[in-house]
Amino acid sequence: MIKKFIRKILGVKDDRDPTEPVILGPEEHQIDPKNVSANAVRVTQTLQEAGYKAFVVGGAVRDLLLGVKPKDFDIATDATPEQVKRLFRRAFIIGRRFQIVHVMFGQDLLEVTTFRGNGSDNAPKDEHGRVLRDNSFGPQHEDAARRDFTINAMYYDPATQSVLDYHGGIEDIRAKTLRIIGMPEARYREDPVRMLRVVRFAAKLGFTIEPTTRAPIPVMAPLIDNVPAARVFDEMLKLLLSGHALACLKELRSAGLHHGLLPLLDVVLEQPIGMKFVTLALESTDGRVKAGKGVSPGFLFASLLWHQVLEKWNAYRAAGESPIPALHLAADDVLETQTDNLALQRRIATDMRDIWAMQPRFERRVGRAPYKLLEHPRFRAGYDFLLLRCASGELPAEIGEWWTEFYDAEGGERERLVAAANTREREGGGPPKKRRPRRGPRKTSGEGAPAAQGAGGGEE
């Protein structure tokens, strides 16, 4: 009776024996075997034929139960990493915190993990309780208890088409509820990234976070600062490329998790233009993910950080810096800060810099400048970024419309568009060229050619 009361207080769903799973047959779980990867079947079959237990596990089972074909398949087994490696020609043991095996079939990668045991109490931890290394193995029921959420703690055997459910995951899936296994505070302390994962799953799946699971998050959010930046970045990338990025960021703010990750979003989302810009960028990203199209992390982070760059760019120009050098200085400042905060990879930072650096060039639509910009290897990303700026009201729509016409046009039509832009500039429809200051009033170096050109084009 006391155990039942304690489990109820801690949010544990019921008093079932956690060492004995509920076994669901095909008629009950209704998983379509056609949605199971042939290579996942191959891995489980090879392990089972060698005398080991082997199951599809985690998010793949969750998605199968939801009628969705999983993108990735993870396998759980009682074979050790070394035993798994010996069974497959292309298998590689990786990981320090917990060893896993990557099994490759062509370009298809499957992650194979050995059942983990309840050895976390004796595992090395930092001063905040985060587990640093844990390679203790154990029986399947302990592995289930070590997983984060009930909906991710189920096992599917392709051979028998049965699902093993240790913690009521099937019931939570049907109720669209996210529930952590065990004491939430202890589980978040072991691995603070779980707080980001629960937000991602809630937004992606449209599930409700169970109150006891949600309650400690605002208080324990600072623990994420102790997680290696590279690991936080990986989780943020998953969140932003989930196809539900906008919902994820709203859920982050609601849960109080955004401060240490993208604190600038608080400032941006409080400004009408900034909020519209970020919203449009995330909606575009979500649309591309759902359509199966590629998404550039560089473009995504360039969008999220743009208004911080814009603020610094305006500040440098107001201090007397010329527009182009001012933009580069602003980009340097932002990237230096965010590279430390988010562990941005050099390739991503380079893409962001290229996208930002192109923006003033889009507002120069005379002579050979448009043709040269069209040849830039990152033109399409810069052009898409320009369209977001126009759609959010930061720049006149006419600039984006002109570049869309120019991009789609050929030969003589492009020449006509450039000639028309030249004519407008000569007639005063845009700012005077630097080589002809007599055609317009003198400007201080703090006034912005990009902004002025945009305004001029918009009045035409």
Side-chain angles (χ1 to χ4, degrees):
M1 182 64 72
I2 293 177
K3 286 184 178 180
K4 286 181 67 175
F5 176 74
I6 292 174
R7 289 168 68 83
K8 184 176 181 180
I9 291 296
L10 296 179
V12 181
K13 192 169 183 186
D14 54 40
D15 59 353
R16 74 177 71 208
D17 184 351
T19 67
E20 293 295 330
V22 172
I23 300 177
L24 306 170
E27 304 80 11
E28 296 168 283
H29 60 65
Q30 297 184 340
I31 287 176
D32 185 351
K34 294 178 182 177
N35 286 336
V36 182
S37 158
N39 287 328
V41 174
R42 183 176 172 183
V43 171
T44 56
Q45 183 177 352
T46 300
L47 285 163
Q48 289 171 355
E49 288 176 350
Y52 303 110
K53 294 180 180 179
F55 302 85
V56 175
V57 71
V61 182
R62 177 197 69 226
D63 290 346
L64 289 168
L65 288 165
L66 290 170
V68 178
K69 188 170 185 176
K71 291 183 179 180
D72 302 301
F73 284 84
D74 295 339
I75 310 298
T77 178
D78 58 354
T80 65
E82 292 77 12
Q83 290 169 333
V84 174
K85 188 177 186 301
R86 285 196 290 268
L87 292 173
F88 300 95
R89 185 172 61 86
R90 296 184 64 201
F92 312 92
I93 298 176
I94 66 166
R96 295 180 60 186
R97 186 170 176 267
F98 185 81
Q99 287 188 332
I100 60 178
V101 182
H102 281 174
V103 178
M104 302 288 297
F105 296 99
Q107 296 299 312
D108 191 12
L109 183 151
L110 287 91
E111 201 167 272
V112 182
T113 59
T114 304
F115 293 151
R116 290 182 294 175
N118 289 329
S120 60
D121 291 342
N122 300 319
K125 300 176 183 177
D126 66 13
E127 65 272 25
H128 305 285
R130 182 173 66 90
V131 175
L132 301 174
R133 189 171 59 258
D134 180 12
N135 279 320
S136 62
F137 305 133
Q140 187 173 10
H141 69 270
E142 291 187 4
D143 183 77
R146 290 291 308 276
R147 296 186 178 272
D148 46 13
F149 309 108
T150 60
I151 65 170
N152 291 339
M154 290 176 282
Y155 303 77
Y156 176 70
D157 182 356
T160 62
Q161 294 186 35
S162 59
V163 170
L164 278 63
D165 180 6
Y166 285 88
H167 294 279
I170 189 69
E171 296 170 19
D172 283 339
I173 280 182
R174 290 167 178 165
K176 294 188 175 182
T177 298
L178 268 169
R179 186 187 312 273
I180 202 163
I181 298 171
M183 294 178 61
E185 292 86 351
R187 302 310 304 280
Y188 293 145
R189 199 172 294 279
E190 286 174 0
D191 186 1
V193 169
R194 287 177 176 138
M195 290 184 279
L196 297 180
R197 285 169 58 81
V198 73
V199 165
R200 173 161 60 90
F201 290 141
K204 178 180 178 180
L205 301 173
F207 280 24
T208 299
I209 302 174
E210 185 267 331
T212 308
T213 299
R214 187 185 187 93
I217 292 177
V219 177
M220 303 187 75
L223 291 177
I224 293 176
D225 294 339
N226 305 314
V227 178
R231 188 154 178 257
V232 175
F233 177 77
D234 286 343
E235 191 59 36
M236 281 296 295
L237 206 53
K238 290 178 184 177
L239 184 148
L240 292 170
L241 299 180
S242 66
H244 301 81
L246 190 57
C248 283
L249 285 183
K250 289 179 179 178
E251 188 65 45
L252 277 176
R253 297 186 84 207
S254 173
L257 282 168
H258 58 295
H259 295 293
L261 301 170
L262 291 170
L264 62 112
L265 283 180
D266 266 350
V267 178
V268 169
L269 295 177
E270 289 169 2
Q271 302 171 0
I273 292 179
M275 181 176 181
K276 189 171 183 181
F277 181 88
V278 170
T279 299
L280 288 170
L282 294 177
E283 286 177 346
S284 174
T285 298
D286 289 345
R288 291 185 64 85
V289 171
K290 291 173 183 175
K293 298 179 180 179
V295 177
S296 163
F299 183 91
L300 187 55
F301 280 98
S303 300
L304 293 177
L305 298 174
W306 169 243
H307 277 76
Q308 193 176 39
V309 173
L310 191 60
E311 181 181 356
K312 291 181 177 292
W313 186 20
N314 290 333
Y316 276 119
R317 290 159 67 190
E321 195 68 60
S322 297
I324 301 300
L327 178 56
H328 288 296
L329 288 170
D332 287 344
D333 288 351
V334 171
L335 286 175
E336 183 177 350
T337 301
Q338 295 302 330
T339 297
D340 291 338
N341 290 346
L342 292 173
L344 289 170
Q345 299 169 3
R346 181 176 298 179
R347 172 182 56 82
I348 293 175
T350 299
D351 289 347
M352 294 165 65
R353 190 186 297 276
D354 286 347
I355 290 169
W356 293 334
M358 272 189 278
Q359 297 311 302
R361 298 177 62 185
F362 280 109
E363 298 175 58
R364 182 74 175 167
R365 294 173 283 163
V366 296
R368 299 299 302 170
Y371 296 94
K372 291 179 180 178
L373 186 55
L374 204 61
E375 296 171 358
H376 194 291
R378 299 285 296 157
F379 170 82
R380 181 68 204 204
Y383 163 74
D384 288 342
F385 196 86
L386 170 73
L387 295 184
L388 285 178
R389 296 176 68 203
C390 294
S392 69
E394 182 188 326
L395 291 177
E398 182 272 336
I399 297 178
E401 293 166 358
W402 188 94
W403 273 100
T404 297
E405 286 188 62
F406 185 76
Y407 181 63
D408 292 336
E410 296 181 358
E413 180 63 18
R414 283 181 177 172
E415 293 176 5
R416 184 192 67 77
L417 288 165
V418 173
N422 274 279
T423 300
R424 282 198 298 272
E425 184 163 322
R426 286 196 301 270
E427 293 176 352
K433 298 179 182 178
K434 288 185 179 179
R435 65 176 182 273
R436 295 180 182 176
R438 65 182 181 279
R439 288 187 177 271
R442 294 180 63 87
K443 294 181 180 287
T444 66
S445 57
E447 293 176 341
Q453 288 177 21
E459 294 170 357
E460 188 65 25

